[in-house]
Structures are given as C-alpha cells and as structure tokens.
C-alpha cells in the first residue's frame, strides 16, 4: 500500500458517523458503536481511515479527530502485529508529518499514538523515529518543537530501559545533551518536560561515566536544573545520592595535576614561559560589590571559578561540580548540611592531599548558601584552614586562600586575637610563598575579603602586619610582570580600607601607577604610528593601575591632592578617555547586544546580573551610540528600573552618560517609557555637573517637544516625590 492512500468517500462518511455516535451519552448507542468497531477491525485499511481522520481531515471538529486517533491507539495495542506493512508505514509516516499540528489536542493525540507504537517493540523497527523527533526540536515552528518534545517525553517515560540499552546503541547518550540545550527555552511547556522525563537515576550514572565528555554533559544537567524554579521540588528526594557524586567530581584528576604542574612546589624563581602568560581580562569594581552584605557577593564569581586551576580547560567536571554545589547550597540552604557534613568530616582531615584539597573546595562552595548553619562548626574549621595555609602541597595552600576569603565576614565578627590575627599572619606569608599560584591566590583572597577586613585594619598593629610583605612583593615585581595584577587589585582594596593609614606607603605606589599608565599610553602611540614595528600594549596594566589610583583617592581623600599636584595624572587621564577602545568594540556590538537585551528583559534575573547588564549596555552605548541606540526601545524600561535603586557611583555615572548619548541619537526610542527615564534620573542624589546638564537637556527637550499642557498632563501621573524632585533639581 502506498503512502498516497485515498479513502473511499462513502466509507469515510460511515466512519465519521460512527465517531459522532460514539460521543453520545446513551449507553445503548455506545454499545452498538463498540460492536461496529470490532467488526470494522476485520478490515485492514480501517486503520488507514482512522489515521486519515486524525491527521488529514481538518474540516472536522477536533474532538472527533482526536477520538479517531485514540481508537487507532487501542487498535495498535490490541492488533498491531497483524497490521499489513503498508498500513503500518502509512500510520508511521502520517504521525511524523503531523507531530506539529496547530491544535494542541491533535498534537497530544499524535504523540500518544507514536508512543504506543514505540512501546510495541517498534523502536527497533522504526529507526528513523528518534533522530526525526530530535531534529524537529530545532524547528523554528513552536508547534512542531512542542509536539516533538511531547512525543519524546512519553517515549522516555514508557521505554526508559531500552533507551539506555545496547539494543539501540544507547540513544539517550545522544538525546540528553540535545535536551539540555532546551533548558533555557522561552516556553515553560518545553522546559518542564525535560526535567521530568530525564531519569534521575540515569543522570547520576552518567555523571560518573568514565568518558569525561559524557560525565560533563550529565553534570551540566544538575547545574542547569539547580537554576530552575522547580529545582527544590524535583531534587529533594535525590540529594542523598546526588551530593556525594558532585563532591567526588570536585577532586583533581591525574591529568589535571599534570597540567597544573602539581608536583612543582617551588617555582617563584622560574621565569614565566609563553604558555604560562595567558590573556587576562580585568574589570573595574562593579556595582555588585556595592551590594555585598555578607562578604560573599555575587560578583566574586570569577574567583569562585577557581583561578587556581584556570590553566586547564575553561570548563571541566571539577568546576561544573563545584558550581552545581554552590547553586544547590543557595537553593537548599542549611537543608543541604545533613548530606554534606559527614562527607566534609572525612575529606578535610584526609591523609591524601588530593582528597583533602577537594574537601576545602567543597567547604568554600557551600559558604554562601549554608553560612548560617556552618557558624556552629567554624570555630573548629577556621583554625584547621589556617593550618592548611602552610600545607606542603601548593594546590592545597592556594585553594585554602580562596575558601578562607569566603568566610571572611564571620572571621572579622569575632574577637581579633581569636581568628583574625593568626589568619592574617599566615595569609601574609603566602604573599611571599615559594609558589606563584599561591602568591596570586593570597593576593586575591586579601582583595576579596578586604571590605570585611576594613574596620580592624585601621589599627597600627594590623598595618604593620599587612604592609611589609605586600611592599616586599611590590619591589620584587617588574613593571611588565603579570603577577602585578593580583597585587595591584589587592593594594587597591587595602588602600581603601586603611585610608590615612596608607599614607606612609602611598608615594611610591602612586608614582608606579602613574608610570604604568604612561607606559601603556606611550606604547599605544608607537603602535598606532608604526604597527609593524611596535606591538600593541597590554591595556590591562593601565586598567588595574587606574583602579588602584581610584582606591588611593577613595582611601586618602584630600591627602591625595599633593600627589596629584606633583604629577601629570590629569593629562594622562584625559588621554585614557581618548583611548581608541571603541574602534575595537564596534565589530562586536552585533554579537553581544542581542544577548544583553535578552538578559535584561528576562524574568527572575538576579538583581546583580541585571545591574551589570544595564551598565554594560550603557557603556557600549557611550562608545558606540550609532550601533546601540536603534535598540533603545527594547531595553530602556528594564534598564531604568534596574539602575534606579543603586547609589551614585562611577559605574552608574558611565552608564547614564551612555543612555543620554543614545537618547540624543534616537529620542523616539525613549518616548513610550519616558516616565521610567524620569524616575531613573530622579534616583541620583548628586550627579556630576555635566551629567546633570545632560539630564536637563533631555527633560527640557521632551517638555518643549510636547508643549506645556501635555507635559502637565504627563507629569500629573508622577508620584508626588518624583514630581517634586524633578521640579527642584531640573526645573521641569
């Protein structure tokens, strides 16, 4: 029988009549219909009529079409082995061609029919089914995508064992990575089935798969699931088995240790090789740091990604396991501890350094989410970690620096002599460690924890402890040594914390920062003039030097005036502002802007991510307004609402300069949401004079454009505080 089978019109009408009668509430009618159906089952092409009504007869109402499919499903269950090959092929073909029907009811019916056929042992005899359904997931048509997901969901529920067997060459190994791509799908109807039809037991096995590609894909499943709203509901009953698997994945593998030169303990005298000097990207202090209330802010994610092992692959099973545990700790909070504490007790005091190191990583990973519950154990754990700072293995010392920074807030809340003094003594020794990785980790640790350490650092005793090793390290490093980066970042935080206590050290630090900026700009000028003869400078030196100058200015206050007066820093800063960065940025705007706009409009995005996204958009708009401004209408409302609540600072300043520049390029893009812009402007307590002028120009320009009467009607919608503030500050 060919695929182009056509029904006999008279026979089709009889079957339609039968389908209508079967919907009658009368029991005698239903009994009569049942008898007729049993008679019709003797004719093989009866099933062709049923699939025809379901998939092709779109003039009929949906309940009738669906009923036809359900009767066919029952026939498949009872008689499928007796279907002629032509009938079977026609049914299979029609199912795959109509999985994306515009009707949800028909899609679901087709999915049920596919699953029923598959459950009759037909997965082996229908080799194109799973590849076809997986390929349909990529369809741009939503109905097709959802229909394919629905069918796959039912197949996974009904046929899990055979899907994970060698009979079909384990198709789940291909299917699950495919499913994981759709965790971020815009439709909850598509996101939800993935979570439910992936067998948890199966994923636990795959997370421990000897093939690292498979185990990493499976581990990413837990990380992605941990970020979903239904994580707690789905994972609660699996924590007992899942947590040990993630913890085990946090150990260094043998290949990791080789790549990290874990057997090389003393390397500070070894010059950096070409492959050791990897590109680095430094950012100035972000808004997130303004919001850190517990000493473990969201912005330290770069450090949470464990810079101690960033010389190996960007993403591996260790990092993924640690990230998943971190997110799970934030979801389950102290409910996670009964599953973690017995493991920690064994790991932290283990004789094997690799196991001990993984335990210290686990302790750091849970710090943010489980801090409240961990307080009971910290009096015992902090002294143990301080001891680990002098462990004979460099990788243990470096991870300990990071983990201790995660608990800095608690340490400084205790009497200083109990934990802070011994911690600072050991941490400062690590800045002069015999291993470069440990030196960097110690600098970063001091940098991360500096906000917490600021109050006790005012004392002379702590200044005397802190500064000599930092200055000693400072004197050893050359201007072109990239080990300066973490030290400059650390000194920036220390200068801010010490304030006037930093005065004895400020002059050489200040002068070196100015020199670094000057050298970078001079190199840039040479490169621009003769690019074939002079290399482009590493602008990161200039960026971290400017950050440190910012920290000095914040810490020293008026005392920095004498340093500024004796230097050319203002001229250099003007040159920095002219730096040809935006030439560099233009080609990348189309690549990143859509993603940024998508993030800022996404519901339930973490507050810090929203703020940093808004600042990034603002800065991009400042350097490349022609490229960013056309999309203004797509992000202006969430942009304004995300930045209205942060306090005045440099990041907010640069972002608002960007938005004002974009409004001047595309004023129409802000018209619909102008009230949100007004509200964001009013959030400023004390904007710089030129920024205030930009606000005035836009506000008065809008008022003049619409006229006084329309402005009055528009401003009458404002809450009273907003109305009063705009009138007082900007005269509108």
């Amino acid at each position: 029988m060919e695929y182009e089978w056509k029904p006999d019109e008279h026979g089709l009408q009889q079957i339609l009549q039968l389908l209508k009668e079967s919907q009658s509430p009368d029991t005698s009618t239903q009994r009569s219909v049942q008898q007729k159906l049993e008679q019709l089952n003797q004719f093989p092409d009866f099933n062709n009529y049923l699939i025809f009504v379901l998939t092709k007869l779109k003039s009929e109402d949906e309940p009738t079409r669906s009923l036809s499919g359900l009767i066919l499903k029952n026939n498949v269950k009872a008689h499928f082995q007796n279907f002629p090959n032509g009938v079977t092929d026609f049914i299979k073909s029609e199912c795959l061609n109509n999985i994306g029907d515009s009707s949800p009811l028909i899609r679901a019916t087709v999915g049920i029919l596919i699953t029923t056929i598959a459950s009759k042992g037909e997965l082996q005899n229908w080799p194109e089914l799973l590849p076809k359904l997986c390929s349909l997931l990529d369809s741009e048509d939503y109905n097709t995508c959802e229909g394919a997901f629905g069918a796959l969901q039912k197949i996974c529920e009904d046929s899990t064992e055979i899907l994970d067997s060698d009979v079909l060459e384990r198709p789940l190994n291909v299917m699950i990575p495919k499913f994981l791509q759709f965790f971020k799908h815009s439709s909850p109807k598509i996101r939800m089935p993935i979570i439910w039809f992936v067998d948890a037991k199966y994923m636990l096995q795959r997370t421990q798969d000897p093939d690292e590609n498979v185990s990493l894909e499976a581990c990413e499943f837990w990380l992605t699931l941990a970020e979903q709203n239904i994580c707690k509901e789905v994972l609660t009953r699996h924590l007992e088995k899942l947590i040990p698997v993630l913890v085990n994945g946090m150990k260094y593998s043998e290949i990791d240790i080789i790549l990290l030169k874990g057997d090389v303990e003393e390397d500070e005298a070894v010059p950096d090789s070409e492959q050791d000097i990897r590109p680095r990207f430094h950012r100035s202090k972000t808004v997130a740091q303004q919001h850190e209330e517990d000493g473990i802010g969201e912005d330290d994610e770069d450090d949470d990604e464990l810079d101690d092992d960033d010389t190996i692959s960007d993403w591996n099973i260790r990092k993924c396991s640690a990230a998943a545990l971190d997110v799970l700790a934030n979801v389950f909070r102290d409910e996670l501890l009964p599953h973690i504490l017995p493991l920690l007790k064994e790991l932290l005091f283990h004789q094997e350094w690799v196991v001990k190191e993984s335990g210290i990583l686990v302790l750091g990973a849970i710090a943010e989410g489980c801090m409240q519950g961990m307080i009971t154990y910290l009096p015992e754990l902090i002294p143990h970690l301080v001891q680990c700072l002098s462990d004979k293995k460099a990788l243990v010392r470096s991870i300990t620096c990071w983990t201790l920074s995660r608990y800095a807030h608690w340490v400084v809340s205790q009497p200083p002599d109990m934990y802070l003094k011994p911690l600072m003594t050991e941490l400062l020794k690590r800045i002069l460690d015999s291993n470069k990785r440990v030196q960097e980790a110690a600098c970063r640790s001091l940098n991360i924890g500096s906000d917490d350490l600021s109050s006790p650092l005012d004392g002379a005793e702590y200044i005397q402890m802190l500064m000599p090793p930092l200055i000693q390290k400072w004197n050893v490093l050359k201007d072109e040594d990239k080990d300066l980066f973490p030290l400059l970042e650390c000194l920036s935080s220390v200068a801010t914390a010490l304030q006037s206590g930093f005065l004895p050290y400020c002059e050489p630090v200040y002068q070196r920062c100015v020199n670094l900026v000057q050298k970078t700009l001079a190199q840039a000028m040479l490169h621009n003039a003769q690019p074939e003869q002079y290399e482009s400078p590493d602008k990161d030196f200039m960026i971290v030097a400017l950050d440190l100058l910012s920290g000095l200015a914040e810490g020293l206050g008026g005392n920095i005036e004498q340093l500024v007066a004796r230097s050319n820093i203002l001229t250099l800063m003007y040159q920095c502002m002219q730096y040809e960065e935006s030439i560099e940025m233009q080609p990348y705007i189309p690549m990143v802007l859509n993603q940024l706009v998508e993030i800022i409009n996404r519901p339930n995005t973490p507050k810090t991510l929203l703020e940093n996204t808004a600042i990034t958009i603002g800065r991009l708009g400042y350097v490349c307004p022609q490229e960013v401004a056309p999309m203004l209408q797509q992000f202006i409302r969430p942009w304004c609402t995300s930045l209205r609540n942060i306090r005045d600072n440099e990041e907010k300043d640069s972002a608002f300069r960007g938005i004002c520049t974009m409004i001047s390029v595309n004023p129409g893009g802000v018209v619909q949401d102008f009230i949100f812009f007004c509200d964001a402007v009013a959030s400023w307590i004390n904007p710089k004079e030129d920024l205030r002028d930009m606000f005035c120009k836009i506000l008065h320009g809008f008022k003049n454009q619409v006229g006084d009467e329309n402005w009055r009607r528009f401003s009458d919608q404002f809450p009273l505080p907003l109305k009063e503030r705009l009138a007082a500050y900007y005269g509108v």
Side-chain angles (χ1 to χ4, degrees):
M1 183 154 312
E2 293 186 344
Y3 286 50
E4 292 77 24
W5 176 88
K6 294 281 191 296
D8 172 74
E9 190 59 35
H10 178 68
L12 181 61
Q13 292 306 318
Q14 280 188 311
I15 287 173
L16 284 173
Q17 183 59 34
L18 196 61
L19 291 170
K20 305 278 188 197
E21 289 174 2
S22 70
Q23 298 173 59
S24 165
D26 181 61
T27 51
S28 62
T29 306
Q30 288 181 1
R31 199 175 298 117
S32 169
V33 167
Q34 192 60 40
Q35 289 172 351
K36 289 177 186 174
L37 287 174
E38 288 173 9
Q39 292 166 5
L40 286 169
N41 266 322
Q42 296 171 19
F43 301 97
D45 69 347
F46 171 54
N47 294 300
N48 280 5
Y49 281 93
L50 292 175
I51 191 71
F52 183 89
V53 173
L54 172 65
T55 60
K56 290 192 180 297
L57 208 60
K58 304 205 174 182
S59 56
E60 280 300 320
D61 60 89
E62 290 178 11
T64 299
R65 291 172 62 199
S66 176
L67 180 61
S68 179
L70 294 175
I71 292 171
L72 176 55
K73 179 206 78 168
N74 291 334
N75 289 348
V76 167
K77 277 182 124 172
H79 313 294
F80 190 71
Q81 66 278 8
N82 299 325
F83 284 17
N85 287 342
V87 173
T88 301
D89 292 343
F90 184 55
I91 292 170
K92 288 179 177 178
S93 172
E94 283 301 295
C95 283
L96 286 178
N97 289 337
N98 291 276
I99 193 68
D101 192 280
S102 58
S103 158
L105 179 61
I106 302 304
R107 286 201 300 273
T109 308
V110 172
I112 290 168
L113 187 52
I114 288 174
T115 311
T116 308
I117 296 170
S119 68
K120 297 299 290 185
E122 280 298 297
L123 278 176
Q124 298 97 304
N125 300 324
W126 199 356
E128 70 271 26
L129 173 62
L130 295 177
K132 177 67 173 175
L133 289 176
C134 283
S135 71
L136 291 175
L137 295 179
D138 295 323
S139 170
E140 293 183 7
D141 176 61
Y142 171 81
N143 294 333
T144 302
C145 189
E146 192 199 82
F149 260 118
L152 283 166
Q153 177 186 4
K154 296 178 182 73
I155 291 170
C156 287
E157 287 169 354
D158 293 351
S159 309
T160 306
E161 286 188 19
I162 194 169
L163 290 175
D164 191 27
S165 72
D166 292 326
V167 175
L168 297 176
E169 298 182 359
R170 299 187 180 272
L172 276 185
N173 287 352
V174 178
M175 290 163 67
I176 285 177
K178 184 81 175 173
F179 298 155
L180 293 174
Q181 298 170 17
F182 288 83
F183 257 118
K184 306 275 189 219
H185 198 280
S186 57
S187 167
K189 287 186 178 178
I190 288 176
R191 290 197 305 269
M192 290 291 290
I194 305 172
I195 295 164
W196 291 110
F197 70 55
V198 176
D199 182 84
K201 181 181 176 185
Y202 171 83
M203 293 306 295
L204 281 166
Q205 292 170 349
R206 293 289 75 79
T207 309
Q208 301 166 83
D209 197 289
D211 183 326
E212 189 174 341
N213 291 325
V214 175
S215 61
L216 184 56
E217 289 278 8
C219 191
E220 285 179 347
F221 167 80
W222 303 115
L223 176 58
T224 314
L225 179 54
E227 293 168 342
Q228 307 301 312
N229 291 334
I230 62 165
C231 168
K232 201 164 188 178
E233 177 188 349
V234 174
L235 279 188
T236 298
R237 66 183 185 278
H238 298 295
L239 284 181
E240 187 179 353
K241 292 180 179 175
L242 173 60
I243 296 304
V245 171
L246 292 178
V247 167
N248 190 55
M250 290 163 74
K251 283 191 297 194
Y252 279 126
S253 67
E254 289 182 20
I255 190 69
D256 289 344
I257 296 167
I258 293 168
L259 290 169
L260 285 165
K261 302 174 184 170
D263 56 334
V264 179
E265 295 302 319
E266 299 184 7
D267 68 351
E268 75 169 337
V270 180
D272 288 328
S273 65
E274 197 61 40
Q275 57 264 40
D276 286 336
I277 305 173
R278 291 161 50 84
R280 303 183 59 136
F281 302 95
H282 287 270
R283 66 209 185 286
S284 60
K285 295 173 185 177
T286 64
V287 171
Q289 290 168 308
Q290 316 289 343
H291 293 286
E292 293 172 3
E293 295 172 358
D294 57 359
I296 311 158
E298 289 178 54
D299 189 55
D300 63 7
E301 284 179 1
D302 281 356
D303 301 288
D304 290 354
E305 289 299 333
L306 304 177
D307 285 339
D308 65 298
D309 65 351
D310 67 359
T311 48
I312 55 179
S313 66
D314 289 338
W315 190 240
N316 57 26
I317 192 73
R318 169 183 161 92
K319 289 186 177 184
C320 188
S321 299
L325 186 62
D326 191 341
V327 181
L328 286 172
N330 278 284
V331 171
F332 286 92
R333 300 285 173 179
D334 294 346
E335 294 173 40
L336 205 68
L337 290 180
H339 306 287
I340 286 279
L341 290 174
L343 300 173
L344 270 178
K345 192 171 182 181
E346 182 181 338
L347 298 175
L348 288 171
F349 300 92
H350 204 279
Q351 292 302 306
E352 281 187 56
W353 76 265
V354 176
V355 179
K356 179 180 178 180
E357 194 276 349
S358 72
I360 297 169
L361 172 58
V362 169
L363 187 59
I366 64 169
E368 184 174 13
C370 302
M371 177 63 83
Q372 204 55 42
M374 287 302 297
I375 287 174
T376 310
Y377 307 97
L378 292 181
E380 178 188 358
L381 288 174
I382 296 299
H384 177 65
L385 289 175
V386 171
Q387 283 185 345
C388 293
L389 282 173
S390 53
D391 192 275
K392 64 181 182 179
K393 298 300 292 187
L395 289 175
V396 173
R397 300 198 298 276
S398 63
I399 197 62
T400 304
C401 290
W402 175 78
T403 293
L404 278 165
S405 73
R406 301 274 278 174
Y407 291 95
H409 181 65
W410 181 85
V411 169
V412 299
S413 70
Q414 307 303 305
D417 287 347
M418 287 183 70
Y419 307 105
L420 181 60
K421 193 169 182 179
L423 167 58
M424 290 292 287
T425 302
E426 285 302 318
L427 201 53
L428 291 168
K429 287 179 187 175
R430 299 287 67 81
I431 290 175
L432 302 175
D433 197 273
S434 58
N435 183 276
K436 294 179 186 177
R437 191 182 310 282
V438 179
Q439 294 173 2
E440 181 171 350
C443 285
R444 290 191 180 282
S445 181
L446 276 172
N447 184 29
I448 299 164
S450 64
D451 286 344
D452 294 311
L453 296 172
S454 59
S455 51
L457 281 185
D458 294 335
E461 180 185 3
Y462 288 100
I463 295 173
Q464 288 166 11
M465 284 173 60
L466 186 65
M467 290 310 300
L470 289 175
I471 295 300
Q472 186 179 341
K473 183 68 179 172
W474 172 267
N475 291 332
V476 168
L477 294 172
K478 297 177 182 175
D479 278 357
E480 57 275 11
D481 194 326
K482 289 174 186 276
D483 282 348
L484 265 179
F485 291 150
L487 185 60
L488 285 164
E489 290 173 343
C490 178
L491 280 171
S492 176
S493 298
V494 169
T496 305
L498 288 179
Q499 298 180 8
S500 60
F502 198 79
L503 268 173
Y505 312 96
C506 68
E507 188 145 5
V509 172
Y510 176 87
Q511 197 51 51
R512 189 170 193 179
C513 287
V514 172
N515 289 343
L516 286 169
V517 174
Q518 194 160 299
K519 276 186 179 181
T520 307
L521 290 170
Q523 181 75 15
M525 288 176 67
L526 288 170
H527 172 71
N528 290 338
Q530 296 174 279
E532 66 290 338
Q533 190 172 343
Y534 295 98
E535 288 186 6
S536 175
D538 186 340
K539 62 181 178 296
D540 286 343
F541 283 103
M542 180 169 70
I543 292 169
V544 290
L546 288 168
D547 259 349
L548 178 44
L549 287 173
S550 171
L552 282 173
E554 190 176 341
L556 297 177
N559 288 314
I560 203 169
E561 287 181 16
Q562 52 189 318
L563 295 170
V564 173
R566 296 200 299 268
S567 73
N568 62 340
I569 187 61
L570 295 178
T571 305
L572 293 174
M573 286 176 69
Y574 179 76
Q575 290 175 15
C576 289
M577 287 187 271
Q578 312 305 312
Y579 197 77
E580 295 289 336
E581 191 79 13
S582 61
I583 311 296
E584 291 183 22
M585 274 308 301
Q586 226 163 357
Y588 302 104
I589 298 288
M591 294 165 57
V592 300
L593 187 58
N594 286 331
Q595 283 88 338
L596 292 170
V597 172
E598 191 268 325
I599 290 169
I600 205 170
N601 283 288
R602 192 187 294 160
N604 304 319
T605 304
K607 183 181 174 196
T608 305
L609 177 58
L610 275 179
E611 291 166 358
N612 283 327
T613 303
I615 285 168
T616 303
I617 291 172
R619 286 175 168 174
L620 288 176
Y622 188 57
V623 294
C624 301
Q626 298 296 337
E627 287 74 20
V628 184
M631 291 189 73
L632 192 58
Q633 192 172 338
Q634 296 180 41
F635 61 76
I636 185 66
R637 183 184 290 200
W639 192 96
C640 291
T641 54
S642 61
L643 291 188
R644 72 175 301 280
N645 293 317
I646 69 168
R647 65 173 184 253
D648 296 6
N649 59 37
E650 290 301 320
E651 283 73 27
K652 186 175 179 179
D653 179 276
S654 62
F656 272 79
R657 288 175 191 275
I659 213 73
C660 290
T661 307
M662 286 185 274
I663 290 172
S664 68
V665 171
N666 177 21
V670 77
V671 170
Q672 285 185 329
D673 297 301
F674 197 70
I675 188 170
F676 291 91
F677 176 74
C678 294
D679 182 53
V681 166
S683 73
W684 279 89
I685 305 299
N686 190 25
K688 291 176 183 173
E689 200 58 43
D690 59 334
L691 181 60
R692 186 192 296 269
D693 290 344
M694 293 170 92
F695 292 157
C696 272
K697 187 176 178 183
I698 292 170
L699 292 169
H700 282 277
F702 187 85
K703 181 180 178 181
N704 294 339
Q705 189 71 29
V706 299
D708 287 346
E709 182 58 29
N710 285 331
W711 174 264
R712 187 185 60 74
R713 278 201 223 100
F714 173 67
S715 59
D716 281 346
Q717 305 169 48
F718 294 175
L720 190 58
L722 171 59
K723 196 170 183 178
E724 290 175 346
R725 195 170 185 83
L726 290 178
Y729 279 70
Y730 303 102
V732 289

